[in-house]
Amino acid sequence: AQRVTQPEKLLSVFKGAPVELKCNYSYSGSPELFWYVQYSRQRLQLLLRHISRESIKGFTADLNKGETSFHLKKPFAQEEDSAMYYCALRGGGGNKLTFGTGTQLKVEL
Amino acid sequence: DADVTQTPRNRITKTGKRIMLECSQTKGHDRMYWYRQDPGLGLRLIYYSFDVKDINKGEISDGYSVSRQAQAKFSLSLESAIPNQTALYFCATSDPTRGGHTGELFFGEGSRLTVL
């Protein structure tokens, strides 16, 4: 069985502070990990995927297979980063994604 | 603009009533999904469909049924709604044949269902 854990329901940081949203997974095979984001009044959308090794809106995430983690990081938080963030894992066939419970990021001025 | 559209956006109903949530997409994607979102539980997969003839149960399919009327349409039904089915429901699409198997899901805006 595959499982995604996001231990923090709410993370509050000040503007300009570093951000780290934690994500741990459980999967016996070779996983593919994603971060999705839901801004207020907008649709859930893909933020980044580990395969691409890209930086989107200043966010990066590195897959650490030893620690089974895929934490989302940004060095300097901006007000517009306030949103709900979901970590997701794709394992096995069918392009089914298993989502974590989400972390609400609040960036305060 | 290619899109994923859900109707209705909001619905309040009573216990025991039959409810249908509809999803249509103009993206031309083969794969469609229904998720429900609950506070503290994240998104959980209800049903998914790879094409018109292929329907599969997700992790929480009990109490739900689906119909894939066409490539572009995927409906979710609650035959006899109960209060713990109160949630935000999302339809999503994907197409692994385009641009590689990227895993990206494209979501609708959600349908908020309240069962009294």
Side-chain angles (χ1 to χ4, degrees), chain A residues 9 32 34 36 38 41-46 49 51 84 86 90 93-102, chain B residues 3-5 31 33 35 37 40-43 45 48 50 88 90 94 96 101-105 107-109:
Chain A
K9 288 187 177 181
E32 294 182 63
F34 307 83
Y36 279 77
Q38 189 174 28
R41 300 181 185 278
Q42 294 188 27
R43 302 173 190 228
L44 193 63
Q45 58 188 288
L46 179 67
R49 61 192 72 136
I51 289 178
M84 177 68 83
Y86 289 97
R90 184 176 70 195
N95 198 32
K96 295 176 294 178
L97 290 186
T98 297
F99 286 84
T101 52
Chain B
D3 209 351
V4 182
T5 303
R31 299 184 177 186
Y33 310 79
Y35 283 87
Q37 182 185 46
L41 296 178
L43 280 84
L45 182 62
Y48 62 102
F50 288 171
L88 184 58
F90 285 104
S94 74
H101 201 184
T102 65
E104 181 170 6
L105 296 183
F107 285 85
E109 294 181 291

Side-chain angles (χ1 to χ4, degrees), chain B residues 30-31 49-55 67-74:
Chain B
D30 288 329
R31 299 184 177 186
S49 169
F50 288 171
D51 62 40
V52 175
K53 298 180 181 179
D54 185 20
I55 304 288
S67 174
R68 185 80 184 267
Q69 302 95 322
Q71 186 207 34
K73 296 184 183 294
F74 191 37

Side-chain angles (χ1 to χ4, degrees), chain B residues 17-19 21 63-64 76-81 85 89 113:
Chain B
K17 294 292 187 181
R18 184 178 187 273
I19 289 295
L21 305 179
Y64 301 95
L76 176 71
S77 293
L78 288 68
E79 296 301 325
S80 180
Q85 291 178 312
Y89 291 84
L113 176 65

Side-chain angles (χ1 to χ4, degrees), chain A residues 1-2 25-33 63 65 68 89-92:
Chain A
Q2 54 197 57
Y25 67 89
S26 173
Y27 181 63
S28 58
S30 183
E32 294 182 63
L33 276 297
L63 178 61
K65 292 186 178 181
T68 59
L89 177 152
R90 184 176 70 195

Side-chain angles (χ1 to χ4, degrees), chain B residues 10-25:
Chain B
N10 287 283
R11 174 65 61 88
I12 299 174
T13 191
K14 295 182 179 180
T15 297
K17 294 292 187 181
R18 184 178 187 273
I19 289 295
M20 179 180 287
L21 305 179
E22 298 183 333
C23 178
S24 63
Q25 52 110 348

